[in-house]
């Protein structure tokens, strides 16, 4: 397993990490994702650790806290062998203190996550969404205090607008608070909007990307194609309304390219899709999930080999879309293109 620095921090994370949205299985969304109990989770963690996957991602909202509880039971006795990432900020109830990133909510949420995880520290705490009702100064100062108390080691965000992420970094610099080092983002061959603004910002500000749903909400598994509709047992039947949208023509064009590259490399479609992501700028770790051992082992096969430049170009071409304004001219007009951000 390749290990990478998480943004401009000293934390080294594996190129692949494991998402535990399938643990617990409560509610219409997470119940459809999976229902792994503690015994199932321990088997999956064994496979991950044997492969060098040491970062495990969860959230307090996953199955109403059950995901954290199952993960905590699965790591019992081996806490020092793993990195724990969790998220907070989305509503857990209808009360005024049940959502957001106020000082009161963050402190309460961290204490609750620590109890559910059965640990004294969270290696990476991410704000699950931007809370426009709480001043950014209050959020960043609270994160500073949680880090100083040793309850949180590093802080990041998820699904954040670029200007709010930049504002948070500026305030951290002004007050000497710890900077945000991670941004958990949706990024896949059928969802490349991350590249238009958030990727250049991440490169400039030293923020590592943790990629969620690298297979486009289950659409890039190889089971869906131009002449293959969503299979009967797919979770998409129950969860498509929550998924980032994609037009059928674009999906099929990407799947056609993936299948061609998979045939050339002798790899599976998911392995090719994940490997492509691992070559992208700012990507620190790709979060893979699995409902069973076979699915996990297939995802783990995405590392240890490389796509050729020609294969990458094929996937780039098939998946490219014209970005929205103000990015459009930088793709369409020569004068603008020369001024576009350089990504390495």
């Amino acid at each position: 397993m390749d290990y990478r620095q998480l943004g401009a921090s000293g934390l080294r994370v594996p190129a692949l990490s494991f998402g535990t949205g399938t643990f617990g299985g409560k509610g219409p969304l997470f119940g459809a994702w999976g229902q792994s109990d503690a015994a199932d989770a321990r088997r999956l963690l064994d496979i991950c650790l044997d492969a060098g996957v040491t970062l495990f991602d969860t959230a307090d909202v996953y199955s109403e806290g059950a995901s954290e509880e199952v993960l905590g039971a699965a790591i019992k006795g081996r806490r020092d062998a793993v990195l724990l990432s969790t998220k907070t900020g989305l509503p857990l109830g209808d009360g005024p203190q049940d959502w957001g990133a106020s000082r009161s909510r963050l402190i309460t949420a961290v204490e609750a996550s620590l109890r559910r995880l059965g640990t004294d520290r969270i290696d990476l705490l991410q704000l699950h969404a931007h809370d426009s009702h709480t001043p950014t100064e209050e959020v960043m100062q609270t994160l500073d205090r949680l880090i100083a108390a040793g309850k949180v080691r590093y802080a990041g965000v998820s699904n954040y607008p670029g200007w709010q992420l930049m504002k948070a970094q500026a305030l951290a610099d002004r007050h000497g608070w710890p900077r945000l080092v991670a941004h958990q983002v949706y990024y896949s061959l059928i969802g490349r909007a991350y590249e238009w603004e958030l990727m250049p910002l991440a490169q400039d500000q030293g923020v590592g990307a943790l990629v969620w749903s690298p297979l486009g909400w289950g659409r890039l598994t190889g089971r869906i194609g131009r002449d293959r509709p969503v299979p009967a047992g797919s979770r998409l039947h129950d969860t498509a309304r929550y998924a980032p949208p994609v037009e059928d023509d674009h999906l099929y064009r990407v799947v056609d390219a993936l299948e061609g590259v998979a045939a050339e490399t002798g790899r599976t479609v998911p392995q090719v899709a994940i490997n492509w992501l691992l070559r992208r700028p700012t990507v620190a770790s790709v979060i893979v999930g699995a409902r069973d051992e076979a699915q996990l082992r297939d995802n783990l096969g995405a590392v240890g080999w490389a796509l050729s430049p020609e294969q990458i170009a094929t996937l780039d071409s098939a998946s490219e879309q014209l970005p929205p304004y103000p990015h459009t001219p930088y793709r369409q007009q020569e004068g603008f293109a020369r001024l576009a951000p350089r990504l390495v």
Side-chain angles (χ1 to χ4, degrees), residues 16-38:
L16 295 182
S17 46
F18 188 79
T20 64
T22 57
F23 290 4
K26 292 184 179 180
L29 175 59
F30 300 108
W33 276 9
Q35 299 181 342
S36 299
D37 60 16

Side-chain angles (χ1 to χ4, degrees), residues 256-280:
D256 288 344
L258 276 169
E259 290 177 343
V261 173
E264 292 175 5
T265 58
R267 302 286 175 172
T268 66
V269 166
Q271 289 170 352
V272 173
I274 295 170
N275 192 279
W276 179 86
L277 282 168
L278 291 170
R279 312 296 163 184
R280 309 305 288 176

Side-chain angles (χ1 to χ4, degrees), residues 228-242:
R228 300 188 304 277
V230 178
S234 173
R235 72 185 188 193
L236 277 169
H237 291 290
D238 298 317
T239 65
R241 65 186 183 277
Y242 304 111

Side-chain angles (χ1 to χ4, degrees), residues 24-286:
K26 292 184 179 180
L29 175 59
F30 300 108
W33 276 9
Q35 299 181 342
S36 299
D37 60 16
D40 296 328
R42 277 190 288 271
R43 286 194 294 272
L44 294 174
L45 261 68
D46 288 342
I47 295 171
C48 285
L49 292 173
D50 285 345
V53 174
T54 54
L55 175 59
F56 299 91
D57 181 72
T58 185
D60 58 7
V61 75
Y62 291 174
S63 293
E64 304 169 8
S67 173
E68 288 184 326
E69 292 173 351
V70 171
L71 177 58
I75 65 167
K76 190 173 182 180
R78 46 185 175 180
R79 173 63 181 93
D80 292 339
V82 305
L83 296 171
L84 291 180
S85 164
T86 194
K87 301 179 288 294
T88 192
L90 292 178
L92 284 173
D94 297 326
Q97 304 303 323
D98 292 335
W99 57 274
S102 68
R103 179 177 295 113
S104 175
R105 172 71 201 289
L106 282 180
I107 292 173
T108 300
V110 165
E111 294 291 352
S113 288
L114 290 172
R115 285 195 300 271
R116 286 190 290 263
L117 289 165
T119 185
D120 61 349
R121 66 196 185 278
I122 295 167
D123 296 295
L124 176 63
L125 176 69
Q126 297 159 98
L127 306 178
H128 213 157
H130 171 59
D131 174 9
S132 61
H133 301 273
T134 300
T136 308
E137 291 90 342
E138 180 176 334
V139 175
M140 296 302 291
Q141 185 183 54
T142 305
L143 291 175
D144 171 60
R145 292 179 178 180
L146 288 167
I147 291 172
K151 296 180 179 181
V152 172
R153 297 289 172 86
Y154 293 90
V157 295
S158 180
N159 308 312
Y160 247 54
W163 73 278
Q164 284 291 347
L165 176 53
M166 188 65 244
K167 182 178 179 179
Q169 298 293 64
L171 284 169
D173 290 344
R174 181 185 304 171
H175 294 284
W177 297 329
R179 301 181 105 236
L180 301 171
V181 301
H183 193 180
Q184 191 166 144
V185 297
Y186 172 61
Y187 187 25
S188 76
L189 274 164
I190 55 170
R192 294 177 59 182
Y194 168 71
E195 298 175 357
W196 301 335
E197 184 167 339
L198 295 176
M199 180 184 282
L201 187 155
Q203 188 174 50
D204 180 73
Q205 291 297 306
V207 178
L210 300 175
V211 176
W212 63 265
S213 201
L215 302 182
W217 206 268
R219 295 183 177 102
L220 302 180
T221 60
R223 293 180 293 171
I224 301 171
R226 195 173 297 276
D227 300 313
R228 300 188 304 277
V230 178
S234 173
R235 72 185 188 193
L236 277 169
H237 291 290
D238 298 317
T239 65
R241 65 186 183 277
Y242 304 111
V246 58
E247 295 181 357
D248 286 346
D249 286 345
H250 183 61
L251 170 62
Y252 297 149
R253 185 166 59 251
V254 171
V255 170
D256 288 344
L258 276 169
E259 290 177 343
V261 173
E264 292 175 5
T265 58
R267 302 286 175 172
T268 66
V269 166
Q271 289 170 352
V272 173
I274 295 170
N275 192 279
W276 179 86
L277 282 168
L278 291 170
R279 312 296 163 184
R280 309 305 288 176
T282 74
V283 171
S285 187
V286 174

